[in-house]
């Protein structure tokens, strides 16, 4: 049965006034609207014949909908799909990269960051400026360096912590901690470090140097 002209078929969900049978109207979100009243809840742009988004039971145009979304901390564009959150900031997966080498970290688990639909944990490596690093770049930048070979002292494969020796306020790899004269490894149980003038020696080489210095002082002219 068709509605008679002048008959009210309902109340408009926007203006609250009656919608007459002969008036242009539409239904959306379980409500009836005058066609001219069906607009974006935020900017009031008409939604006639355009796509809209349901946000808390209110229609939004595409632009206003995107304004409600998190924006990537790198490119500042809205994140429409998968989101990665780290250090309190949102990222597109493709933007979630190491600040040094640009390798993508989206599928590497971190403590303190999560993405929709996953729960993972590991180590989040950030510098004092909250910039994210891959493990290799972080260690290369911030790990202590051996005073002998000048390379970073980092954990060996399969290890969680690096082994480091500190002597004379300097850092050493275990394998670099050697007598400067005979090259014997000073971590050997039979050896020890006997420093002299900011140099490291084994006991035998230290003794020889002392004897040589003593002999030079006592040799008559």
């Amino acid at each position: 049965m068709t509605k008679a002209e002048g008959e009210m078929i309902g109340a408009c969900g926007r203006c609250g006034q009656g919608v007459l049978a002969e008036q242009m109207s539409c239904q959306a979100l379980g409500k009836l609207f005058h066609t001219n009243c069906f607009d974006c809840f935020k900017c009031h742009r008409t939604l006639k014949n355009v796509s809209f988004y349901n946000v808390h039971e209110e229609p939004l145009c595409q632009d206003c909908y995107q304004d409600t979304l998190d924006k990537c901390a790198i490119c500042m564009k809205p994140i429409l799909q998968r989101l990665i959150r780290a250090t309190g900031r949102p990222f597109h997966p493709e933007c979630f990269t190491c600040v040094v080498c640009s390798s993508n970290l989206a599928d590497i688990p971190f403590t303190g960051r999560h993405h929709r639909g996953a729960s993972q944990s590991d180590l989040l490596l950030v510098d004092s400026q909250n910039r994210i690093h891959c493990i290799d770049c972080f260690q290369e930048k911030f790990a202590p360096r051996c005073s002998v070979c000048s390379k970073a002292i980092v954990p060996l494969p399969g290890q969680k912590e690096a082994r480091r020796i500190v002597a004379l306020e300097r850092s050493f790899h275990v394998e670099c901690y050697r007598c400067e004269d005979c090259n014997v490894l000073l971590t050997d149980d039979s050896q020890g470090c006997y420093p002299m003038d900011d140099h490291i020696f084994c006991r035998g080489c230290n003794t020889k140097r002392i004897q040589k210095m003593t002999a030079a002082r006592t040799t008559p002219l």
Side-chain angles (χ1 to χ4, degrees):
M1 178 181 295
T2 60
K3 299 291 185 179
E5 185 174 346
E7 183 178 354
M8 189 173 72
I9 59 176
C12 176
R14 176 70 74 232
C15 71
Q17 296 181 6
V19 180
L20 301 180
E22 68 271 18
Q23 290 180 310
M24 296 291 291
S25 63
C26 60
Q27 288 187 329
L29 308 177
K31 301 175 184 179
L32 181 67
F33 296 87
H34 293 111
T35 301
N36 291 336
C37 288
F38 187 57
D39 57 8
C40 173
F41 181 74
K42 187 174 180 180
C43 72
H44 302 296
R45 180 185 306 170
T46 180
L47 297 177
K48 181 180 178 180
N49 299 325
V50 298
S51 299
F52 68 92
Y53 295 84
N54 179 358
V55 179
H56 306 304
E57 297 304 315
E58 295 291 353
L60 292 182
C61 67
Q62 181 171 323
D63 290 343
C64 290
Y65 170 71
Q66 291 189 0
D67 285 342
T68 69
L69 301 176
D70 287 304
K71 291 182 173 55
C72 177
I74 301 299
C75 70
M76 300 308 296
K77 295 180 180 179
I79 302 175
L80 302 177
Q81 297 181 10
R82 185 186 172 197
L83 175 148
I84 293 175
R85 193 174 297 280
T87 64
R89 298 174 295 164
F91 300 84
H92 288 113
E94 60 272 22
C95 295
F96 192 63
T97 58
C98 172
V99 70
V100 178
C101 69
S102 299
S103 60
N104 191 273
L105 306 177
D107 294 321
I108 298 178
F110 287 118
T111 293
R113 89 130 222 266
H114 70 276
H115 60 76
R116 293 170 185 159
S119 176
Q120 303 171 331
S121 64
D122 201 338
L123 181 64
L124 177 62
L125 300 176
V126 297
D127 60 16
S128 59
Q129 296 178 323
N130 224 20
R131 297 179 299 182
I132 298 171
H133 297 66
C134 69
I135 292 176
D136 291 342
C137 289
F138 186 89
Q139 292 176 338
E140 182 65 23
K141 283 178 67 175
F142 300 109
R145 293 193 171 273
C146 177
S147 65
V148 176
C149 69
S150 298
K151 295 180 180 180
I153 302 176
V154 299
L156 296 175
Q159 297 181 347
K160 292 185 177 181
E161 295 183 0
R163 295 182 63 196
R164 175 171 66 125
I165 293 175
V166 179
L168 304 179
E169 298 183 353
R170 292 150 54 195
S171 296
F172 300 84
H173 287 111
V174 172
E175 60 273 19
C176 292
Y177 191 55
R178 297 175 178 274
C179 173
E180 295 183 27
D181 279 353
C182 70
N183 205 42
V184 67
L185 195 64
L186 298 180
T187 54
D188 189 290
D189 291 340
S190 63
Q191 299 294 335
C193 178
Y194 293 82
M196 177 185 293
D197 297 330
D198 207 32
H199 295 274
I200 58 174
F201 303 102
C202 65
R203 181 174 183 177
C205 291
N206 176 281
T207 300
K208 289 178 183 178
R209 281 180 170 263
I210 291 176
Q211 290 174 343
K212 186 176 180 179
M213 292 170 57
T214 302
R217 290 175 184 151
T218 57
T219 299
L221 297 176

